[in-house]
Amino acid sequence: MTAELVRGQNHPLPQTRLEIRISAGNPIVAGATLGDERGTVHGAEWVAHPASPQLAGIEVPKQAAADHRLAIDLDAMPDHIHRVTVLLALPAGVGGPARFGAMAAPFVAVTGLDGTEIAGYTITDLDSESAVTALELYRRQGAWKVRAVGQGYAGGLAAMLHDQGLAEATDLAARINEAVARGMARSVAQPPPRSEGDGRVRTSAVGGDADPAPVGGGADPAPAQPQTQPQRPQGTPVTGGPVNYEHPARRTAAPPTPAPAAPPAAPGQPAQPVAGDASGWTMDERLYNQVWGMFEDLARTTAAYRSAVDFAESRMEQELDRVLSDPRTRVGPAADSARAEARAKHADLVEQARAALDRDLAQLTAEAEVVEPALPPAYARWDSPVWQAYQVPMEVPMALRVGDLHLPERTGLRIPMLVRLPLERGLWIDAGRSGGFGEGPADSGELRRLAADAAVAIAARLLAVYPAGEIAVHVIDPAGSAAGSFAPLVGSGALAEPPAAGAQGVSSVLAALTRRVDLVQMAVRSGATDALPPDLDTAEQLLIVHDFPHGFDDRAVTQLRYLADEGPAVGVHLMMVADREDARAYGPVLDPLWRSLLRLTPVADDHLADPWVGHAWTYEPSMVPRGSRVLDQVLGEASRAANALKAARARPSYGN
């Protein structure tokens, strides 16, 4: 029976191989400290945290997330360790809540490796605290117990670590925050949940029309279990079996019109997948939420499989350890039989886990095969037939496809990577080899060309999915080294002006966009958006910077950082095509710039993480098929519509 603890209450632990499972409504940092009999932490090497996640007997997550699992083996703890303290903290300097009182109360559970819950604790009554000691596992007379603590610290990680006796608390807290910031920079941001009945909440900074609010891929999802079953929100009964294509986890608000109903399934078979089987006000919104639901399902069912495999391996190790620890059974027929039995159990558990994973993957693959052909242009691949009937849209879509994501368990199952529109952070197409690409061109020049091509493909997609006249694209190419890649944008007339070259061109473009940000910010703050200069283009602006930092002086670098930080809120977006090594002379000054951008690569690379369990996903860019004319066709259509709009606006108007 699960013990529901309150602050200060303790409970005996019936086993020593455990998991600590943490659920919170926002990304948090999870770690643990090891203490002596008095609970004193004697050095940084006694702290498990994202920058150093493994110590003897404990492993913690490497990044901030809303859900965590900490693996603990109390038998592996050194004899001088008498206390294991589980700590939680809010990430610093990356956005989100700054205090626990502004978010849902975190829940912490101690479970066995099979997922059986031993004790749970909801940490309540937090207010200004940004770090909290959640639980402590302590040794008493040779046995281990768990105690609910719930001690919060308004001074954050540094204050909490200092309270446990760590002399270098401030330095370690800074290292942890730096590691968390790096981890969050590579994480795909989860769509925020929409409140019940909240249909249209966003308005543009300069008084444009509202666009539909997002719906999250699942409300308060439970941590992944070792059983191979996709996880659903807390409160949703888990009854086993395959993925449920009615998707209760994907419905956070009832749509005004019902989603398409799944066709009746054969007896004993799962329901057939249907495109748009998720909540939303429009079909595009339902498809967006369905894709995010597939993303979460794949992340969690894979986490369940990997957890089951880890459990099977740890169980086999325990059984083999017992055989080897007894001299009487270490050798001989009995030892051979025990080893064979342990390995057979391991193989059986892994086989069961793989069978359940394959079942879920088959159903998700079937869903992907139905959803992919139904995706609108903003979400579709470049080889989709939907582009053949392309027409300039009347409204801005919810999101934009920038590539595909997959996991090694099923590389053929690709999840569209959708980013919200308007872009909430800039993009960085990495033209270097800092990510250690497993495959791709060996020539650095070819890699740079592919990076420029990837940037053009994203820019073309943005031009295609925005209504005519509602987005303008600017290009800075100081040396003109990407003229071939930018030719489709130049030839179609899609650019606001020719690519800027040289230091003077860089300065001119940055000065104009910086002025636009300043003016719109002042107008919004003063509530006088109707007082903007008549020559100011109020359309969204996309700036593509190629070959940074070539052609940039210190003033230009400062302006670029300003645009990256302040631009998205007022409709100015940045896409950099750069090799970070080229800017190494700036040292750590540019670290905040790189972290503020979503890093994408021109070739496949496993550098992105999901927001639920933190898998490393392989990203592949969405490139135009070789020999295809779709890019020229789409850019030409978008340019003709934009030119027609300009001509209409230029005609003199006569009163009625």
Side-chain angles (χ1 to χ4, degrees), residues 165 281 351 452 454 523:
W281 298 92
E351 183 179 354

Tab-separated table of all heavy atoms in Angstrom, residues 165 281 351 452 454 523:
chain	number	residue	atom	x	y	z
A	165	GLY	N	26.006	22.492	4.240
A	165	GLY	CA	27.406	22.498	4.638
A	165	GLY	C	28.398	22.552	3.507
A	165	GLY	O	29.611	22.412	3.742
A	281	TRP	N	-9.911	23.966	-32.642
A	281	TRP	CA	-10.979	24.768	-33.232
A	281	TRP	C	-11.038	24.604	-34.736
A	281	TRP	O	-12.062	24.889	-35.354
A	281	TRP	CB	-10.771	26.243	-32.876
A	281	TRP	CG	-10.817	26.489	-31.405
A	281	TRP	CD1	-9.775	26.497	-30.537
A	281	TRP	CD2	-11.986	26.737	-30.618
A	281	TRP	NE1	-10.211	26.733	-29.261
A	281	TRP	CE2	-11.578	26.897	-29.283
A	281	TRP	CE3	-13.353	26.853	-30.915
A	281	TRP	CZ2	-12.463	27.157	-28.255
A	281	TRP	CZ3	-14.228	27.123	-29.880
A	281	TRP	CH2	-13.789	27.270	-28.568
A	351	GLU	N	12.443	-9.551	-24.234
A	351	GLU	CA	11.584	-9.944	-25.355
A	351	GLU	C	10.162	-9.426	-25.165
A	351	GLU	O	9.536	-8.926	-26.108
A	351	GLU	CB	11.576	-11.467	-25.488
A	351	GLU	CG	10.770	-11.971	-26.671
A	351	GLU	CD	10.798	-13.482	-26.795
A	351	GLU	OE1	11.540	-14.132	-26.025
A	351	GLU	OE2	10.063	-14.019	-27.650
A	452	ALA	N	23.214	26.823	-45.900
A	452	ALA	CA	22.535	27.939	-46.574
A	452	ALA	C	21.276	27.445	-47.282
A	452	ALA	O	20.237	28.121	-47.260
A	452	ALA	CB	23.487	28.610	-47.562
A	454	ALA	N	19.429	24.931	-46.375
A	454	ALA	CA	18.426	24.662	-45.341
A	454	ALA	C	17.759	25.957	-44.887
A	454	ALA	O	16.541	26.010	-44.657
A	454	ALA	CB	19.073	23.951	-44.150
A	523	ALA	N	5.846	52.116	-29.030
A	523	ALA	CA	4.425	52.258	-29.342
A	523	ALA	C	3.579	51.307	-28.513
A	523	ALA	O	2.507	51.673	-28.010
A	523	ALA	CB	4.203	52.006	-30.833
